[in-house]
């Protein structure tokens, strides 16, 4: 790759819908790996409505990883973005486009930088699960760009490290996020229950009462609940008594 011209740019665009939980995830047993204290079930929206569109690009001329969210540059320094980038890069494969003269070998991905441009067609950080479609789309588009060969279940375990609810946006229809037992979180993944055709008449009406950013993020809200609520442990226990399927 080193001897190639620095002029090429490789780009992938993906679109991912958000999801709404019918049995909600609330509380983590591991903050770093984003592992939940209860299983959850959600419905994924029609991608024609609430969704994130993300374009990821790579070029030898890029000096650093950069990201724009809704046209404003944001920092990628946060652990959640770094975890997703690291996990996808670790699974990257060789890529070649002879016509364009692009040849990237597996190890090159560690030194190539990406530019990410993401847009939510609905209010961000306002309670409509922008982190779900946002991180699912980020992981999916990076995986396509870097020729990652893993299925959506495995990708969901990476999206989960961006935001828990994001793992469920890798599938359509009704989706379960399995708690998992492994310490490294590798089995805490999303599994499709029934596809989007299962309940054809289902219509979800979303009334946006405010587009303002929430004062309490889900992350800090659930952290506070785990520390202060006398009932949260009971909720998780009761949910664990039922096999959610
Ligand atoms: N398209 C995107 N790509 C990457 N990250 C995003 C994207 N959209 C949102 N995010 C991240 O998710 C954060 C918002 O998550 P947060 O959980 O606070 O709100 P929400 O997901 O919109 O609402 P809720 O979790 O209550 O449904 C943003 O501050 C940003 O860090
Ligand atoms: C109420 C919820 O929507 C909370 C979603 O929380 P997030 O997935 O946004 O939280 P983090 O994992 O900390 O990023 C319930 C749900 O989607 O199951």
């Amino acid at each position: 790759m080193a001897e190639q011209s620095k002029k090429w740019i490789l780009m992938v665009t993906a679109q991912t819908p958000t999801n709404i939980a019918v049995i909600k995830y609330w509380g983590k047993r591991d903050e770093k790996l984003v592992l939940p204290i209860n299983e959850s079930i959600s419905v994924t929206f029609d991608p024609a409505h609430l969704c994130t569109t993300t374009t990821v690009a790579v070029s030898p001329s890029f000096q650093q990883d950069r990201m724009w969210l809704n046209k404003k540059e944001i920092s990628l320094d946060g652990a959640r973005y770094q975890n997703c980038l690291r996990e996808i890069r670790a699974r990257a494969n060789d890529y070649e486009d002879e016509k364009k003269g692009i040849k990237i070998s597996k190890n090159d991905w560690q030194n190539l930088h990406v530019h990410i441009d993401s847009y939510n067609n609905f209010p961000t950080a306002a309670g409509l699960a922008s982190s779900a479609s946002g991180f699912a789309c980020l992981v999916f588009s990076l995986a396509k760009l870097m020729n990652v060969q893993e299925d959506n279940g495995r990708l969901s375990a990476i999206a989960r490290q961006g935001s828990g609810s994001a793992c469920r946006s890798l599938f359509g229809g009704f989706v379960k996020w399995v708690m998992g037992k492994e310490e490294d979180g590798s089995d805490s993944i999303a599994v499709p229950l029934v596809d989007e055709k299962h309940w054809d008449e289902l219509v979800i009406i979303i009334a946006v009462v405010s587009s303002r950013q929430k004062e309490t993020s889900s992350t800090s809200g659930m952290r506070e609940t785990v520390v202060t609520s006398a009932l949260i442990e009971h909720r998780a226990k009761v949910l664990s008594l039922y096999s959610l399927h």
Side-chain angles (χ1 to χ4, degrees):
M1 188 199 65
E3 69 278 6
Q4 284 177 28
S5 130
K6 288 197 163 193
K7 281 189 183 143
W8 61 261
I9 176 162
L10 184 64
M11 249 190 280
V12 167
T13 297
Q15 204 162 58
T16 307
T18 188
N19 71 76
I20 181 130
V22 285
I23 296 179
K24 305 234 175 241
Y25 141 59
W26 199 254
K28 297 180 185 66
R29 62 182 196 276
D30 186 317
E31 286 274 343
K32 207 168 141 234
L33 288 169
V34 190
L35 298 175
I37 58 169
N38 69 278
E39 294 199 336
S40 54
I41 290 181
S42 60
V43 194
T44 299
F45 286 100
D46 183 334
H49 299 290
L50 269 58
C51 73
T52 295
T53 305
T54 300
T55 298
V56 287
V58 65
S59 168
S61 63
F62 294 166
Q63 303 294 308
Q64 62 186 85
D65 291 339
R66 295 175 74 182
M67 173 159 183
W68 291 261
L69 175 56
N70 302 327
K71 301 198 170 99
K72 270 176 81 176
E73 183 156 15
I74 61 161
S75 166
L76 281 172
D77 287 347
R80 288 168 173 224
Y81 288 109
Q82 287 302 314
N83 290 345
C84 291
L85 283 161
R86 187 195 60 243
E87 294 298 315
I88 291 292
R89 279 197 172 106
R91 291 163 177 79
N93 285 301
D94 297 350
Y95 175 87
E96 184 164 12
D97 184 330
E98 271 185 33
K99 270 195 204 150
K100 290 187 185 148
I102 304 174
K103 191 173 180 184
I104 306 168
S105 75
K106 207 176 158 124
N107 296 330
D108 290 337
W109 290 108
Q110 300 294 337
N111 306 314
L112 282 166
H113 295 292
V114 289
H115 283 185
I116 302 159
D117 183 28
S118 190
Y119 176 75
N120 300 323
N121 72 351
F122 61 94
T124 297
L128 288 167
S130 63
S131 62
S133 53
F135 278 100
C137 204
L138 177 70
V139 165
F140 187 82
S141 53
L142 284 172
K144 290 287 161 222
L145 180 77
M146 299 190 189
N147 199 15
V148 172
Q149 296 299 319
E150 309 213 346
D151 61 25
N152 280 8
R154 298 255 60 88
L155 292 183
S156 77
I158 302 175
R160 188 202 73 227
Q161 294 173 58
S163 178
S165 52
C167 70
R168 300 183 311 235
S169 269
L170 266 306
F171 296 100
F174 282 80
V175 184
K176 174 163 87 163
W177 173 10
V178 179
M179 271 183 71
K181 291 190 183 79
E182 299 295 335
E183 260 186 48
D184 66 359
S186 54
D187 58 349
S188 186
I189 62 172
V191 291
L193 294 176
V194 286
D195 71 16
E196 56 278 13
K197 289 180 213 86
H198 176 77
W199 189 353
D200 223 13
E201 310 82 37
L202 177 68
V203 174
I204 299 171
I205 298 171
I206 299 157
V208 179
V209 289
S210 167
S211 300
R212 275 195 19 234
Q213 187 161 337
K214 294 182 297 178
E215 275 156 34
T216 307
S217 70
S218 297
T219 309
S220 57
M222 66 178 86
R223 192 180 294 139
E224 204 170 315
T225 308
V226 169
V227 175
T228 60
S229 167
L231 297 174
I232 190 72
E233 210 180 320
H234 178 70
R235 176 179 187 265
K237 256 192 208 140
V238 170
L239 281 172
S240 73
L241 296 177
Y242 300 94
S243 180
L244 301 182
H245 55 76

